Amino acid sequence: MVRFARFFKTGRCPQPYPPQPFPNTRFQFAGIAVPSLALLLTLGLGACATDPIAQESAGIDTPPLSSPTIAATPSPDPTPSPPPSPLPPATAAIVARLGTPPFNPPKGDLRFAVISDLNQAYGSTTYDPEVAETVALLPYWQPDLVLGGGDMVAGQSLSLSVAEIQAMWAAFDRIVAAPLRQGGIPFGFTLGNHDGSGAPNGSGGYTFQRDRDLAAQYWRDPRHDPGITWVDRGQFPFYYTFTQGQAFFLVWDGSTSEIPPAQLAWVKTALQSPAAQSAASRILVSHLPLYAVAAGRNKPGEVMTQADDLRAMLEQFHVNTYVSGHHHAYYPGQRGTLDLLHAGLIGSGPRALIDQPNPSPKTLTLVDLDYGTGQTTYTTYNAETWQTIALASLPRFLLGHNGRVRRRDLEASDLTPAEENLCEQRLGSDRCEP
């Protein structure tokens, strides 16, 4: 077993992709135990699935990325943490079936698991088997919290009836939310565009008002309490704040590319609050990412508008990590001083990272936070094999239409002149900084 590790302000983990090293800018590479490099390069490179919910064009036409790579430095494997005993029966059955238990990294002061994009086709009340299996395996790692990056159900179709939308939420409750409640695992989440899109209708309301109303009806039912420690729940489930341990979480309505001015003012007030500023870490959860990372979603409308301005505001208030979904491809990146955890999906329709030939695997990411240092460690699993994803298998950077995102283990100064030139030729110098 080889462990790829680098020490920075925060920690991160990789996935199976064409071989490219994977360091981290502001974190600690701990808790990643992987098999041989040859095996790592085979993980998650299975059959390409078509997104049943949306089949967009491939985005901007760009040549393949062929930048120099730097080999990761191996270091001794950390000692795995023992799983709890006894395990719940459903968890134990999966572990027994796998033969070799999944790696369980050393646990930080706070551990949260990140899942995203669970749904299938419009109106579906079924889920891919990886969704139920991921939920059933969570007790093995004993997370203090689960974060959801959105798209829990498959709405955003005006042809769906009230009964059909309610049936989707009932299925989500049965397969995902109820097991988390029964296991005593808090669930913090953002609404995705298929849960309750905030797309305006031009008349001061929302095109998918019914979706939003029924999402609110489900989540405001006391029976569906997500078990989090509230700071401000006035606009829940659309935007709200909560704490878990010594971490502060802010969820905004990133179901579309625009944050309305009134909500943005609320964000600034929340991030300046004593609860936020006294926390060991500040984490923002959105459905849409700031910057493009996936083919087919590398275009305006699929990322937050004015991403650089939003990032500068988040950096001003010392936000550490921006967690997002929507792009259906895992990439732990960084731009400026902000960590960008682009969660992979566990539902239908995996996508390839920009300039990569194969779809991203379905993923679950564990994030371990050390209160004393502020460092985070990412351990990411292929949710079909439960092997860890090698940092070195991810691209060193991605060149999306609205800016370069570098792997979080790399500083801008780590990029070679050839890599800098490639970015400037593709995007222009402004979008290659910092």
Side-chain angles (χ1 to χ4, degrees):
M1 303 289 278
V2 177
R3 174 174 167 247
F4 294 95
R6 261 182 94 173
F7 295 89
F8 297 85
K9 184 179 176 184
T10 52
R12 311 146 200 193
C13 186
Q15 294 176 293
Y17 265 97
Q20 289 186 351
F22 185 68
N24 273 2
T25 316
R26 321 174 91 217
F27 78 120
Q28 194 177 29
F29 271 157
I32 307 297
V34 297
S36 69
L37 182 59
L39 177 56
L40 290 169
L41 298 179
T42 69
L43 298 180
L45 301 181
C48 177
T50 301
D51 187 345
I53 291 179
Q55 298 179 345
E56 298 91 347
S57 67
I60 59 175
D61 186 15
T62 56
L65 181 64
S66 56
S67 61
T69 61
I70 298 173
T73 302
S75 63
D77 292 335
T79 302
S81 296
S85 182
L87 290 169
T91 310
I94 297 171
V95 172
R97 191 199 77 221
L98 292 173
T100 301
F103 177 67
N104 188 12
K107 191 172 182 181
D109 296 314
L110 176 71
R111 169 174 290 179
F112 57 92
V114 179
I115 58 175
S116 192
D117 297 274
L118 284 60
N119 55 10
Q120 291 185 337
Y122 290 115
S124 179
T125 56
T126 60
Y127 290 85
D128 287 4
E130 291 80 15
V131 174
E133 182 162 289
T134 297
V135 173
L137 261 180
L138 284 169
Y140 175 84
W141 294 290
Q142 296 183 288
D144 302 297
L145 170 75
V146 172
L147 285 186
D151 282 359
M152 296 167 277
V153 300
Q156 203 180 16
S157 171
L158 295 175
S159 67
L160 293 172
S161 68
V162 168
E164 287 173 317
I165 296 170
Q166 289 174 328
M168 290 192 298
W169 282 110
F172 167 79
D173 190 72
R174 181 176 65 255
I175 294 169
V176 180
L180 292 178
R181 290 195 304 270
Q182 292 161 5
I185 304 174
F187 183 51
F189 62 89
T190 185
L191 292 181
N193 53 296
H194 292 289
D195 303 319
S197 172
N201 62 8
S203 303
Y206 299 102
T207 300
F208 296 97
Q209 184 67 60
R210 182 167 55 188
D211 286 15
R212 290 173 72 85
D213 289 344
L214 293 173
Q217 181 184 90
Y218 169 82
W219 282 112
R220 291 172 183 170
D221 185 331
R223 294 174 299 175
H224 303 148
D225 188 328
I228 56 181
T229 302
W230 305 99
V231 176
D232 182 352
R233 64 177 299 173
Q235 298 297 321
F236 176 78
F238 303 107
Y239 54 94
Y240 60 99
T241 54
F242 66 97
T243 59
Q244 183 69 38
Q246 296 180 29
F248 178 89
F249 294 84
L250 184 146
V251 176
W252 70 20
D253 187 355
S255 63
T256 66
S257 61
E258 300 279 351
I259 302 294
Q263 187 181 150
L264 192 57
W266 171 86
V267 169
K268 293 178 180 178
T269 298
L271 290 177
Q272 294 177 79
S273 68
Q277 289 301 304
S278 64
S281 185
R282 286 151 294 282
I283 296 132
L284 189 146
V285 189
S286 172
H287 185 56
L288 267 64
L290 291 175
Y291 300 95
V293 297
R297 294 198 167 163
N298 182 20
K299 53 191 173 182
E302 304 290 356
V303 295
M304 302 305 295
T305 303
Q306 298 180 321
D308 283 339
D309 291 341
L310 290 175
R311 176 177 56 82
M313 181 266 293
L314 298 178
E315 289 173 338
Q316 176 188 353
F317 297 121
H318 309 293
V319 173
N320 303 95
T321 304
Y322 184 107
V323 178
S324 62
H326 189 60
H327 278 215
H328 295 195
Y330 168 69
Y331 192 75
Q334 187 178 70
R335 187 167 168 88
T337 62
L338 183 64
D339 283 351
L340 305 168
L341 174 51
H342 304 89
L345 85 171
I346 54 173
S348 295
R351 295 175 177 275
L353 292 171
I354 294 167
D355 294 318
Q356 301 302 306
N358 298 301
S360 175
K362 299 183 178 187
T363 59
L364 162 74
T365 296
L366 300 181
V367 180
D368 284 290
L369 170 64
D370 184 297
Y371 291 153
T373 64
Q375 292 176 338
T376 56
T377 301
Y378 293 8
T379 308
T380 296
Y381 303 84
N382 180 320
E384 295 177 274
T385 66
W386 297 111
Q387 297 289 330
T388 52
I389 290 173
L391 299 175
S393 66
L394 292 172
R396 285 166 57 81
F397 55 85
L398 298 174
L399 301 181
H401 74 279
N402 68 332
R404 177 180 64 195
V405 175
R406 63 184 187 276
R407 223 170 43 201
R408 76 184 287 253
D409 58 316
L410 296 175
E411 299 288 352
S413 59
D414 294 325
L415 301 181
T416 68
E419 290 172 330
E420 289 288 2
N421 289 338
L422 178 65
C423 184
E424 291 178 9
Q425 291 171 10
R426 179 89 64 88
L427 303 179
S429 58
D430 291 347
R431 291 181 176 174
C432 296
E433 295 298 334

